[in-house]
Amino acid sequence: MHAISPRQLEVFVAIATAGNVRAASERLFLSQPAASMALAELERQIGSPLFARERGRLRLNDRGRELLPLARELIERHAEFGRRAEGSVVELTGDIGIGASNTVGNYLVGDLLGPFAAEHPGVALRLGVANTARIAQGVLDHDFDIGCVEGPVNHPAIESRPWREDRLVVCARPDHALAGKARPKREHFAGARWVLRERGSATRALSERALAALPEGRVVLELDQSEAIKQAVIAGLGIACLPEVAIVDAVKTGRLVVVPTPFLDLTRTLSILLHRQRYRGAVLEAFLASL
């Protein structure tokens, strides 16, 4: 096998991240033909393709998924060698892909990314937002370098560490029957109409746990965004169990009220997810330190 160059590895990683040669070449300031040639030469040297070609997009095949984390590690080690060889403090450069579940990505993104971005402006940040199950899968597939999610994730290939506490609350329109009760009891929730998050989200799992402790109600609507659920409750479609940070504005303006539920446990721990095989170079370690 001929020597594989750092540039070939960079092209491979960029295409795996972007999904096509055009976006990868723009990211690396290369022409598309140059990026295509670098990938073709890498695949020739390896002796097998790294991507499946599907309708204009390149998706990693099994061989590509196997080699992607190693390619990223080699790129990061090469950069780390350069920084240390300088013999002085050098600004961190590179990029990091973060997957955030909906509550984190929509309402806590400043807390998650702000300190790191301020301290390391030379590092490009990529943020993807989805539910907990999809973020965990993205970490497993190396689509994300790190994940931040609302729910517990138990997988032998994933390390999960606590980040911060979060709290859900039951919310309703001000004119809802439950809103007028200073001290609601469990029985007051009998027959309640609920608007819930989609299955696979941590908010849905915690909501279902709360509903199991209440008299039977009815799920009238399922939505995949907390913001959409908030608007549905404001419109009078039902009540919901949502992250407290998601409804602060609506409570302040009087569009929603929090229904007291001291008999329900609605606290949870937000977690950081890392693939156990992911090399933790200077950029990733700096990001973890910023948390």
Side-chain angles (χ1 to χ4, degrees), residues 100-107 128-136 148-151 166-169 171 193-211 218-233 238-247 268 270:
S101 55
N102 284 279
T103 297
V104 179
N106 291 320
Y107 304 105
V129 180
N131 66 33
T132 292
R134 292 177 181 173
I135 296 302
C148 187
V149 299
E150 304 149 37
D166 184 42
R167 187 168 81 100
L168 271 64
V169 294
C171 59
R193 295 163 56 88
W194 291 88
V195 183
L196 298 183
R197 278 285 305 276
E198 84 287 5
R199 299 183 186 278
S201 74
T203 297
R204 172 61 178 257
L206 188 52
S207 298
E208 288 182 337
R209 191 176 77 188
L211 266 63
R218 187 155 65 97
V219 178
V220 296
L221 191 61
E222 296 183 6
L223 298 168
D224 64 0
Q225 292 290 331
S226 294
E227 196 64 27
I229 293 176
K230 182 171 70 175
Q231 296 304 321
V233 175
I239 63 175
C241 192
L242 286 173
E244 188 173 29
V245 294
I247 65 166
R268 61 186 179 182
L270 305 182

Side-chain angles (χ1 to χ4, degrees), residues 123-187:
V123 177
L125 300 173
R126 295 180 287 105
L127 179 68
V129 180
N131 66 33
T132 292
R134 292 177 181 173
I135 296 302
Q137 190 61 51
V139 172
L140 284 172
D141 293 341
H142 300 284
D143 293 333
F144 300 120
D145 300 304
I146 189 170
C148 187
V149 299
E150 304 149 37
V153 174
N154 298 305
H155 192 285
I158 289 181
E159 175 191 344
S160 179
R161 56 176 72 173
W163 178 41
R164 61 189 287 177
E165 294 300 307
D166 184 42
R167 187 168 81 100
L168 271 64
V169 294
V170 175
C171 59
R173 265 174 46 136
D175 59 357
H176 192 279
L178 285 167
K181 299 183 183 298
R183 295 182 179 179
K185 298 179 180 179
R186 293 177 190 269
E187 55 264 31

